[in-house]
Amino acid sequence: MTQTRTTRLDRGRSALGPALELVHTGQAPTRAVLTAELGVTRATAGAVAAELEALGLITVDAHPTAPVGSQGRPSHRLAIDPAGPVALAAQIHADGYRAALVGLGGRIVATAPGCGIVDADPAQVISEVVEVGAELLRTTGRRCVGAGLAVPSAVAEPEGTALNPLHLAWEAGAPVRDTFRACLAETGVTDQVHGAAVAGFAANDLNVAALAEHRHGAGRGARHLLVVGTGHHGVGGALVLDGRLHTGSSGLALEVGHLTVDPEGRPCHCGSRGCLDVETDPVALFDAAGRTADSGTSLLTQAAELVRTRYADDPGVREAAGRLIDRLGLGLAGLVNILNPDRIVLAGLHRALVEADGERLRGVVADRSLWGRSGSVPVLPSELEHNSLVGAAELAWQPVLDDPIGTLGG
Amino acid sequence: MTQTRTTRLDRGRSALGPALELVHTGQAPTRAVLTAELGVTRATAGAVAAELEALGLITVDAHPTAPVGSQGRPSHRLAIDPAGPVALAAQIHADGYRAALVGLGGRIVATAPGCGIVDADPAQVISEVVEVGAELLRTTGRRCVGAGLAVPSAVAEPEGTALNPLHLAWEAGAPVRDTFRACLAETGVTDQVHGAAVAGFAANDLNVAALAEHRHGAGRGARHLLVVGTGHHGVGGALVLDGRLHTGSSGLALEVGHLTVDPEGRPCHCGSRGCLDVETDPVALFDAAGRTADSGTSLLTQAAELVRTRYADDPGVREAAGRLIDRLGLGLAGLVNILNPDRIVLAGLHRALVEADGERLRGVVADRSLWGRSGSVPVLPSELEHNSLVGAAELAWQPVLDDPIGTLGG
DNA sequence: CTCTCTTTGTGCCGACACTAAACAAAATAC
DNA sequence: GTATTTTGTTTAGTGTCGGCACAAAGAGAG
């Protein structure tokens, strides 16, 4: 028997992947920088850049960019090819779904108007959002490298099933990833290189948001990034370690909603009391402020807006939000003791809280974490508007970043 | 059977490191297995094995081992060279210190009788234990690849300082790693290849114990391994992710002693109440059992012995230990929700608890973790007797595993 | 016993990613 | 103008590993 072809040790052997990652995260403006960052010779960096250009991923300026104050030959600028391939990103949330095309660097190239239907089974909703995305691909004529789906639920690995699809009319255990892939195949979103359907990935929305923030937002450069956020469906967490999402052994890590932050707090559906989830969500804010929400926009939006506009002036809001900040700080401190991240990024209502009074929040985290004083952890608001959508695209871009030639041709 | 070495493998990027890791963890009995595990051709596996033999790390049997039931040409056995190089392992604990020489595969080659002096400053104790280790090297004449030190304190990275050296007459912030290195250089434990002092590493004892258990003990094969244990200095945790110790951004991760497991529990020195630390330590056991410890052996030893010998028969001990098991289970469940490990290994008194009633402990973990029912986490007792010592050696072996030729020369 | 099949190990060559070093180019400094 | 600095390219060379042919060492069939 002839020996089977093996590629296991070939992964990562080429400098192409790391180079593309640098371009992707905006850290490779020129070939000279690429040389330094990759630790290779100028010859290699030049060859790598040429290869990326040949793959249609980047453009190299014909004319050098005038340097400001340095001597030496000026560099030619490397830029992400604006006409390059894109990833199909889809997001399903409590209010409906969204689709977009996202290019390298997390740039949203095209978006479809959102839709508000959620009272349907997974197959129906996923089918619709894939159809919308496919339409985007057809009208723009873009080449597609893959597709990613963000869902408001923990996604089990490696099954790809949604375990707690709260606020969605889905049963637990819905095979979202396989459904997504089937829809991609049916809709004819095919890979121009390999002829088959493009690879489809599905993950929790906050997890992929963390990925997006790490690469293009407030988490850029962090080695161990912790992201915590309140969405429409409770508090969630995500962890990015050395550039990779840590989802645990079965995709269920960072279920931080039920950390106890007040032993005498509100009862939680998990059976305990004073969970981070029920103590720092929009309902807790309105209750603490003695207000009632309007029936118009979502509770989350109203709560964030309330904190943003009234924290400085309204003592009632200040006290209510302060209560949430203290509880959140306690939860974050517990996570700091366990995970020791070098940065924390907050999303959703938590983002509004840190923007309103980051000083207070950071103080609580420092006081209640064991090593807070030896170097307090930066706690920042998230930066990207559509981080879940961009993050869904990251899932699809990942194989390309790992092995550009293997996925795009050659 | 010797093979002419025509080409030398490139340092760092070759299959040599992964191959040595397989040998080290006992997963490479033959070249054929090496071929399959590495995903390389037989030619490469053969060259790699020859290189490891040339480095003096392994031996290749001259005669093939008779296969039991399979056909085909029988394999020649690969074995760790019993006369190969060793790592110098040192451990400082509450009762004294220990030193040993540890070969590849975590095999303890030589040990020095322990010593009980701890009422000295770090420089003094470290100097003594290094002298004992150097004497071991002199008498055995073994080649030394590096040295590792395990201390009962969190070690800050990258400073290498001991942050909370409890039960030791050390001030916080003692530069244990640099002291260790200085002692190695002074004592003349030098690297035969490079002429300089051997590389010295220092880390928390439970962290390195986790490393040892992952590679040679109860954690073998786990992708995400959580280790929790009670020692003489409180409860600690450690996490091994994809074979690497996760110590967080500054070495302070997994400080799990102050998870709240009983809101109305005993007051803790951290200012809170009912921390995992004070609820599951030997003192808590004796108090719950209404017993007092003897003054002879250490509290930890007595507590573990009590659980081991009396849990089955003595209702008082059973109830007291059961109380600790429930509290421990609650703490572990919280960690499972955050880290989602695929295995948990318990050390110290916690090991005695899981050995006494693993069923009860696993039940609590499953009940109180959010996804317990979808697949409960295995909780196992630690297997290695001297896991901190073996783990300290792992620190020293790591550079060799990463780049055999670069560290051992060639 | 011989013949065949299966599996393991080795020799040889080429593919390929990268380095090293020389050369060329484009700016600033003097 | 020339010198210097920095960037990019060309060419030759090195080392790793895959592919393939072949050899070796057993089991099983006849």
Side-chain angles (χ1 to χ4, degrees):
Chain A
M1 183 174 69
T2 57
Q3 295 188 14
T4 52
R5 186 167 196 280
T6 54
T7 53
R8 234 166 105 177
L9 288 175
D10 279 351
R11 284 189 313 215
R13 212 173 110 71
S14 158
L16 211 56
L20 182 56
E21 206 169 310
L22 288 171
V23 170
H24 182 54
T25 54
Q27 299 176 72
T30 67
R31 273 174 289 211
V33 174
L34 209 55
T35 301
E37 293 290 322
L38 290 176
V40 297
T41 60
R42 288 198 299 274
T44 304
V48 161
E51 185 70 48
L52 291 178
E53 194 178 19
L55 287 170
L57 294 169
I58 68 169
T59 56
V60 181
D61 276 11
H63 301 292
T65 306
V68 273
S70 66
Q71 37 175 352
R73 176 176 171 175
S75 282
H76 296 249
R77 204 133 198 87
L78 304 181
I80 294 166
D81 190 339
V86 295
L88 172 56
Q91 182 188 6
I92 294 170
H93 50 90
D95 298 334
Y97 59 75
R98 264 198 289 255
L101 303 184
V102 183
L104 215 52
R107 205 171 58 88
I108 295 179
V109 169
T111 49
C115 182
I117 302 169
V118 288
D119 284 342
D121 64 300
Q124 177 68 25
V125 178
I126 292 175
S127 166
E128 281 187 38
V129 75
V130 165
E131 178 49 50
V132 168
E135 180 62 26
L136 278 178
L137 284 171
R138 277 193 293 273
T139 53
T140 58
R142 291 301 195 106
R143 181 177 173 187
C144 181
V145 299
L149 174 69
V151 296
S153 160
V155 176
E157 288 293 331
E159 303 88 1
T161 53
L163 279 168
N164 57 345
L166 303 179
H167 296 254
L168 285 174
W170 296 2
E171 77 278 19
V176 287
R177 191 198 50 209
D178 290 346
T179 305
F180 186 49
R181 286 180 177 172
C183 290
L184 288 168
E186 275 175 33
T187 320
V189 181
T190 50
D191 188 320
Q192 280 87 344
V193 175
H194 302 100
V198 299
F201 305 91
N204 170 262
D205 51 5
L206 189 65
N207 272 355
V208 297
L211 212 47
E213 289 290 339
H214 177 264
R215 294 189 182 160
H216 313 295
R220 200 160 10 195
R223 231 167 72 82
H224 301 316
L225 175 69
L226 170 65
V227 176
V228 172
T230 346
H232 300 277
H233 52 288
V235 172
L239 185 65
V240 179
L241 297 179
D242 290 319
R244 298 278 170 164
L245 207 49
H246 174 80
T247 55
S249 67
S250 48
L252 305 174
L254 275 298
E255 280 295 327
V256 301
H258 302 283
L259 283 173
T260 301
V261 292
D262 181 359
E264 284 131 37
R266 312 147 69 91
C268 175
H269 62 84
C270 78
S272 184
R273 320 181 62 88
C275 293
L276 185 64
D277 198 338
V278 291
E279 292 290 332
T280 67
D281 72 348
V283 176
L285 179 73
F286 280 107
D287 281 5
R291 289 169 175 259
T292 50
D294 303 336
S295 57
T297 54
S298 81
L299 211 57
L300 174 64
T301 313
Q302 288 181 54
E305 191 63 19
L306 187 65
V307 172
R308 191 167 294 119
T309 56
R310 300 286 174 81
Y311 187 85
D313 309 324
D314 188 325
V317 171
R318 190 183 194 87
E319 198 187 315
R323 185 188 152 92
L324 265 70
I325 288 176
D326 291 346
R327 301 280 183 289
L328 175 59
L330 206 55
L332 294 181
L335 289 170
V336 166
N337 286 337
I338 294 170
L339 301 170
N340 187 215
D342 51 10
R343 201 177 306 170
I344 298 175
V345 167
L346 299 181
L349 177 57
H350 292 171
R351 177 191 163 177
L353 292 174
V354 70
E355 281 177 333
D357 201 341
E359 207 58 38
R360 178 169 180 170
L361 180 58
R362 277 182 283 270
V364 176
V365 174
D367 279 347
R368 303 304 294 254
S369 57
L370 285 172
W371 312 107
R373 283 158 200 98
S374 62
S376 78
V377 193
V379 184
L380 307 172
S382 66
E383 278 180 10
L384 304 175
E385 197 181 353
H386 299 294
N387 46 20
S388 288
L389 218 38
V390 173
E394 291 299 322
L395 295 179
W397 274 109
Q398 193 59 60
V400 181
L401 297 176
D402 288 340
D403 182 5
I405 292 184
T407 47
L408 293 182
Chain B
M1 197 34 68
T2 51
Q3 164 173 324
T4 53
R5 187 156 55 89
T6 52
T7 59
R8 243 190 49 201
L9 304 175
D10 190 17
R11 40 195 64 184
R13 223 166 273 172
S14 76
L16 211 54
L20 183 56
E21 206 169 311
L22 288 172
V23 170
H24 182 53
T25 54
Q27 299 176 70
T30 66
R31 274 176 288 214
V33 174
L34 209 54
T35 302
E37 292 293 319
L38 290 176
V40 297
T41 59
R42 287 198 300 274
T44 303
V48 161
E51 185 70 48
L52 291 178
E53 194 179 19
L55 287 170
L57 294 170
I58 68 169
T59 56
V60 181
D61 276 8
H63 301 292
T65 306
V68 272
S70 67
Q71 17 176 4
R73 175 176 171 175
S75 282
H76 297 246
R77 212 136 213 21
L78 304 181
I80 293 168
D81 190 339
V86 295
L88 172 56
Q91 181 186 6
I92 294 170
H93 50 90
D95 297 335
Y97 58 75
R98 263 199 291 253
L101 303 184
V102 184
L104 214 51
R107 204 172 59 89
I108 295 181
V109 168
T111 49
C115 181
I117 302 169
V118 291
D119 283 342
D121 64 301
Q124 177 67 24
V125 177
I126 292 175
S127 166
E128 282 186 38
V129 73
V130 166
E131 179 48 50
V132 168
E135 181 61 25
L136 278 178
L137 283 171
R138 276 192 294 273
T139 53
T140 58
R142 291 300 195 107
R143 181 176 173 188
C144 181
V145 298
L149 174 69
V151 296
S153 160
V155 175
E157 287 295 332
E159 304 88 1
T161 53
L163 279 167
N164 57 343
L166 303 179
H167 296 255
L168 283 175
W170 296 2
E171 77 278 19
V176 287
R177 192 200 46 211
D178 290 346
T179 304
F180 185 50
R181 286 180 177 171
C183 290
L184 287 169
E186 276 174 33
T187 318
V189 181
T190 50
D191 189 319
Q192 279 87 342
V193 175
H194 302 100
V198 298
F201 305 91
N204 171 262
D205 51 5
L206 189 66
N207 272 356
V208 297
L211 212 47
E213 290 289 339
H214 177 262
R215 293 190 182 158
H216 313 294
R220 200 160 12 194
R223 233 169 72 82
H224 302 316
L225 175 70
L226 171 64
V227 175
V228 173
T230 345
H232 299 277
H233 54 287
V235 172
L239 185 65
V240 179
L241 296 179
D242 290 319
R244 298 278 170 166
L245 208 48
H246 174 79
T247 55
S249 67
S250 48
L252 306 174
L254 275 297
E255 279 295 327
V256 301
H258 302 282
L259 285 172
T260 302
V261 292
D262 182 359
E264 284 130 38
R266 311 147 70 91
C268 175
H269 63 84
C270 78
S272 184
R273 323 180 60 87
C275 293
L276 184 63
D277 198 338
V278 292
E279 292 291 332
T280 66
D281 71 349
V283 176
L285 179 71
F286 281 107
D287 281 5
R291 288 168 176 260
T292 50
D294 304 336
S295 56
T297 55
S298 81
L299 210 58
L300 175 63
T301 313
Q302 289 180 55
E305 192 61 18
L306 186 65
V307 172
R308 192 167 294 118
T309 56
R310 301 286 175 82
Y311 187 84
D313 309 325
D314 187 325
V317 172
R318 190 184 195 88
E319 198 186 314
R323 186 187 151 93
L324 265 69
I325 288 175
D326 290 348
R327 302 278 183 288
L328 174 60
L330 206 55
L332 293 181
L335 289 171
V336 165
N337 287 336
I338 295 170
L339 301 170
N340 187 215
D342 51 11
R343 200 178 308 169
I344 297 175
V345 167
L346 300 181
L349 177 57
H350 292 171
R351 177 191 164 179
L353 292 174
V354 68
E355 281 178 332
D357 202 341
E359 207 57 38
R360 178 168 180 172
L361 180 58
R362 278 182 282 269
V364 177
V365 174
D367 279 348
R368 305 303 296 254
S369 58
L370 286 171
W371 312 108
R373 282 155 202 100
S374 61
S376 77
V377 193
V379 184
L380 307 172
S382 65
E383 277 179 13
L384 303 176
E385 196 181 352
H386 300 293
N387 45 23
S388 288
L389 218 39
V390 173
E394 291 300 321
L395 295 178
W397 274 109
Q398 193 59 58
V400 180
L401 297 176
D402 289 340
D403 181 6
I405 292 184
T407 47
L408 294 182

